[in-house]
Amino acid sequence: MLATIFQIGLFICSYVSVWFIISLLIKRNDIADIAWGLGFVAIAIFLFITQTSTLQSTIVYILTIIWGIRLAIHIGVRSKDKPEDFRYKKWRDEWGKYFVLRSYLQVYLLQGFFMWIISVPIIVVSMAQNQAISPFVLAGSIIWLIGFAFESIGDYQLMLFIKQRQNKSDIMQTGLWKYTRHPNYFGEVLVWWGIFIMVLPLEYGIWTIISPITISFLLLYVSGIPMLEAKYKDHQAFQDYKKRTSSFFPMLPKV
């Protein structure tokens, strides 16, 4: 198991290094957001090629590939013909002459590290032999499907809203966004909890809980909700929306 984990670590390091070089060529660090989803696609394909596949591992690979490709396409379409994302632009300005080094360490290698941790369930299922399709697989698949629906529908609703709104200061408050300020993040977290549940009965399965815990922590407390909502700290309409709408778990809005 340790050999496979180390092998995946080297693969991810090479993968993010290639994207880092691309970012320097096109002068856009936000390409790392596209690389994020595609990284899990690459890991799933790599494991499918190098490990003996079973029905359960194939299901996990397919779900991971579907999730990663959809996310990458969505982010790619969203950022097309637009300037570099405000988060990366801010770091570009702040890092000055150390921009190249800090980009590699704090954007690409750090992203690779979290990619490595979050992919642990995919690694574990790739090594398990003679897997039976248990109720855990069905339960995890249902949770994954709910999460994927929330993430996909939420992203689509937001994309339509941005295209159709008359005023750039307007805030999305309808559809799934009426019940949670971040349906896409809620969906992404569910996706990884679903994959964890699918592999839970396997050997070392319980240890893969580090994956959904990590993505939950990142989106709730680090690079997800806090960083995005900080952008709207002086936006009165958003602050009003924030008071009546759940930040993460879908709930009926407060009156």
Side-chain angles (χ1 to χ4, degrees):
M1 178 177 179
L2 291 177
T4 303
I5 292 176
F6 181 71
Q7 185 182 34
I8 290 296
L10 289 177
F11 175 79
I12 292 174
C13 185
S14 301
Y15 173 82
V16 298
S17 296
V18 169
W19 281 98
F20 168 68
I21 294 171
I22 294 173
S23 76
L24 295 179
L25 294 175
I26 66 174
K27 296 181 172 60
R28 289 191 66 135
N29 252 353
D30 58 354
I31 198 172
D33 291 342
I34 296 176
W36 175 254
L38 292 181
F40 292 95
V41 173
I43 291 169
I45 294 174
F46 178 80
L47 289 171
F48 178 77
I49 293 172
T50 59
Q51 302 291 319
T52 301
S53 296
T54 63
L55 178 58
Q56 184 171 348
S57 65
T58 301
I59 291 172
V60 172
Y61 296 154
I62 290 172
L63 295 182
T64 301
I65 289 170
I66 290 172
W67 171 81
I69 290 177
R70 187 216 70 86
L71 182 61
I73 291 175
H74 168 72
I75 294 174
V77 170
R78 184 184 67 186
S79 59
K80 184 181 179 182
D81 300 325
K82 293 181 180 179
E84 187 176 40
D85 184 274
F86 75 95
R87 297 166 297 172
Y88 297 96
K89 177 62 168 62
K90 181 173 179 289
W91 291 335
R92 183 182 295 274
D93 295 338
E94 289 177 350
W95 293 345
K97 65 180 181 179
Y98 299 108
F99 170 75
V100 173
L101 178 61
R102 293 188 66 172
S103 290
Y104 185 57
L105 296 176
Q106 293 179 236
V107 176
Y108 291 91
L109 282 187
L110 184 60
Q111 183 184 80
F113 171 74
F114 286 121
M115 194 182 295
W116 191 25
I117 297 299
I118 294 168
S119 67
V120 166
I122 312 172
I123 299 171
V124 166
V125 77
S126 75
M127 295 184 296
Q129 302 298 319
N130 302 319
Q131 305 161 9
I133 301 300
S134 70
F136 285 88
V137 176
L138 177 60
S141 298
I142 292 172
I143 292 172
W144 182 93
L145 184 60
I146 295 171
F148 186 76
F150 257 90
E151 188 172 9
S152 304
I153 294 171
D155 280 340
Y156 180 71
Q157 289 175 338
L158 181 60
M159 180 184 68
L160 288 182
F161 172 79
I162 292 174
K163 284 183 177 181
Q164 297 170 0
R165 66 182 176 181
Q166 301 299 315
N167 191 327
K168 287 188 176 182
S169 65
D170 289 344
I171 298 296
M172 177 65 172
Q173 305 180 48
T174 58
L176 295 178
W177 301 80
K178 179 179 179 179
Y179 305 102
T180 165
R181 301 199 300 272
H182 302 281
N184 47 351
Y185 291 162
F186 173 74
E188 184 163 346
V189 166
L190 274 192
V191 160
W192 289 103
W193 278 103
I195 290 178
F196 160 68
I197 290 173
M198 292 177 71
V199 307
L200 180 58
L202 303 179
E203 185 178 12
Y204 306 114
I206 187 61
W207 297 106
T208 68
I209 196 171
I210 191 175
S211 169
I213 286 178
T214 298
I215 192 65
S216 300
F217 178 77
L218 289 176
L219 292 180
L220 284 168
Y221 302 109
V222 184
S223 62
I225 293 175
M227 190 174 292
L228 182 60
E229 295 199 349
K231 181 181 178 182
Y232 297 97
K233 62 181 180 179
D234 298 320
H235 193 296
Q236 188 55 52
F238 183 83
Q239 295 305 315
D240 294 339
Y241 169 62
K242 184 176 180 178
K243 289 177 182 178
R244 64 177 179 272
T245 309
S246 170
S247 65
F248 186 70
F249 292 101
M251 298 176 65
L252 290 174
K254 297 176 183 177
V255 179

